[in-house]
Amino acid sequence: MPTKQNPFSIYDFLGYLIPGAILLLSASGLLSIFNNQSLDHYIPDLPATYQAATFLAAAYIAGHVIGIVSSFSIEKSYIRLNGYPSRCFLKHEPLGTDAPKTKMEKFWDLHLKVAQTVCGAILGNNSYATDALKAPIVQIINTKLEFYFSKEHKSSNLEKIIQSEYFHHIYHYCVENAPNHLSKIQNYVALYGLMRNTAFTCLIAFWLIIVESFTQIVHALFTSSTLTFSTPRLITGSAALLCFSILYLGFVKFYKRYSLEIIMAFSVSYSYKPKAHESFSKKILS
C-alpha cells in the first residue's frame, strides 16, 4: 500500500496550539494592564469545560495566524540573511541571500541579527549558518540532479534549473518515491514550524513588555509622578528575548535538517533507469 502524507500530527497540533495559547495569555496580560480586565472578562459565563474548549479552539486558530505571519517575517528574514539551507548544502549560487528592500524587512532582519548574536555569544560559533556538504557528496548529488532533470524531464538548460527553484520538485519526488523518509520529513516540517511560531510569540511578548514600559514612562512624565525601576519587568523582557533567540536557533536547526533530509532522500532513492524505448534504440544502433 502506498504511503500517504499525514495532514495532521501531534507536532502539527502543538505547533499551532502552543504559540496561540501564549499569544492569548499575553493579550490577557496586556488587557489587565490597560483596562484592569483580564481575558476572562470577555468570555461568556460558561461551564469550565466549555471555557477550556473555547480557549483551545481560539488558541489553535490564533496559532494559524501566527504561523502565516511568522513565515513571512522570521523565515523570509532568515533566508535573506543566510540563504536557503538546501542551496548552501550543495553550494548552489545564488544562495538566496538578499538585502532588505523595505523598512519592515529591515525591522525583522534586525531581530534575527540580535538573535544570531545572542546564539553566537552563548555557543561560541555560527550555529545558524549552514555548512556545505563534503565535496564528493556534493558531486554525487549534483550528478543525480543533472540526470534527473535532463533524462527524466528532458530539460536542456540545467544551469538555469540549478539557479532557480528545484527543491520543491525533488521534495515531491521524495514524497512519491522515498516512503521510508516521509515520516521524518513531516516531523521536521512540524518541528521547525513549532519553533518558528513559538519564537515569533516570544517576540510579541517582548514587544508587549516594551510597550507597557514605555506607557509607564509616558504616564510618569505627564503626571509628574515618580518613575520606579521594575526589576521583574526587566527580567521578563530579557527572558522573552533569550527565549526568542533559543527558539529561533531551534527553528534553524530543524529547517536545516528538513532540507538535508530531502536532499539525502533524493540522493539514495533516485537512480537513472533508461526507458524501454531507449534500450531498444541502443540495441539497434549497436
Side-chain angles (χ1 to χ4, degrees), residues 97-116:
T97 54
D98 195 10
K101 298 180 177 62
T102 65
K103 292 182 179 180
M104 186 58 66
E105 289 182 351
K106 292 179 181 179
F107 175 77
W108 293 119
D109 287 2
L110 177 62
H111 290 86
L112 265 63
K113 288 177 181 178
V114 170
Q116 291 177 173

Side-chain angles (χ1 to χ4, degrees), residues 4-280:
K4 299 294 184 181
Q5 287 202 77
N6 182 10
F8 187 84
S9 68
I10 185 62
Y11 293 127
D12 180 74
F13 177 70
L14 294 177
Y16 293 115
L17 180 66
I18 293 175
I22 295 175
L23 178 64
L24 292 181
L25 293 174
S26 299
S28 178
L30 189 64
L31 288 172
S32 65
I33 292 170
F34 288 102
N35 298 331
N36 295 320
Q37 295 173 342
S38 65
L39 198 62
D40 298 338
H41 176 78
Y42 299 91
I43 298 177
D45 187 14
L46 298 173
T49 304
Y50 290 102
Q51 286 190 3
T54 302
F55 177 80
L56 291 176
Y60 186 70
I61 294 171
H64 277 277
V65 176
I66 293 171
I68 294 171
V69 178
S70 66
S71 66
F72 284 101
S73 54
I74 293 178
E75 188 168 335
K76 293 292 185 183
S77 182
Y78 168 77
I79 294 170
R80 277 197 305 273
L81 294 174
N82 303 289
Y84 289 96
S86 57
R87 305 189 71 81
C88 296
F89 281 130
L90 299 177
K91 303 179 182 179
H92 287 164
E93 296 289 345
L95 298 177
T97 54
D98 195 10
K101 298 180 177 62
T102 65
K103 292 182 179 180
M104 186 58 66
E105 289 182 351
K106 292 179 181 179
F107 175 77
W108 293 119
D109 287 2
L110 177 62
H111 290 86
L112 265 63
K113 288 177 181 178
V114 170
Q116 291 177 173
T117 301
V118 172
C119 292
I122 294 174
L123 301 176
N125 56 16
N126 294 338
S127 301
Y128 51 84
T130 303
D131 297 325
L133 299 175
K134 300 297 183 182
I137 303 298
V138 172
Q139 183 178 0
I140 290 172
I141 297 172
N142 282 336
T143 301
K144 290 203 171 191
L145 284 172
E146 292 175 3
F147 267 91
Y148 177 71
F149 285 106
S150 63
K151 301 297 185 181
E152 305 290 349
H153 298 284
K154 308 301 180 184
S155 175
S156 59
N157 195 342
L158 294 175
E159 183 177 354
K160 184 176 181 181
I161 290 177
I162 295 300
Q163 291 178 350
S164 62
E165 177 57 73
Y166 62 86
F167 180 76
H168 289 96
H169 199 291
I170 65 173
Y171 163 78
H172 286 285
Y173 175 87
C174 294
V175 170
E176 296 294 332
N177 299 280
N180 292 333
H181 297 262
L182 189 56
S183 61
K184 188 180 290 187
I185 291 170
Q186 291 174 337
N187 287 339
Y188 283 150
V189 171
L191 285 170
Y192 91 68
L194 170 63
M195 295 292 110
R196 185 195 67 207
N197 296 345
T198 312
F200 184 79
T201 308
C202 289
L203 193 59
I204 294 176
F206 170 77
W207 276 106
L208 287 177
I209 294 170
I210 295 295
V211 170
E212 192 269 341
S213 300
F214 181 75
T215 303
Q216 293 291 335
I217 294 173
V218 172
H219 181 267
L221 291 175
F222 278 91
T223 59
S224 300
S225 57
T226 304
L227 184 62
T228 58
F229 178 78
S230 176
T231 302
R233 191 179 295 128
L234 176 63
I235 294 174
T236 305
S238 301
L241 186 60
L242 180 62
C243 288
F244 165 71
S245 302
I246 294 173
L247 290 166
Y248 165 71
L249 183 61
F251 154 70
V252 173
K253 169 187 173 182
F254 289 114
Y255 191 19
K256 290 193 291 186
R257 287 192 177 185
Y258 158 73
S259 301
L260 183 60
E261 188 67 24
I262 294 291
I263 292 171
M264 299 310 294
F266 173 79
S267 175
V268 300
S269 62
Y270 174 72
S271 60
Y272 175 63
K273 297 178 181 179
K275 304 294 190 297
H277 68 276
E278 293 179 357
S279 301
F280 181 71

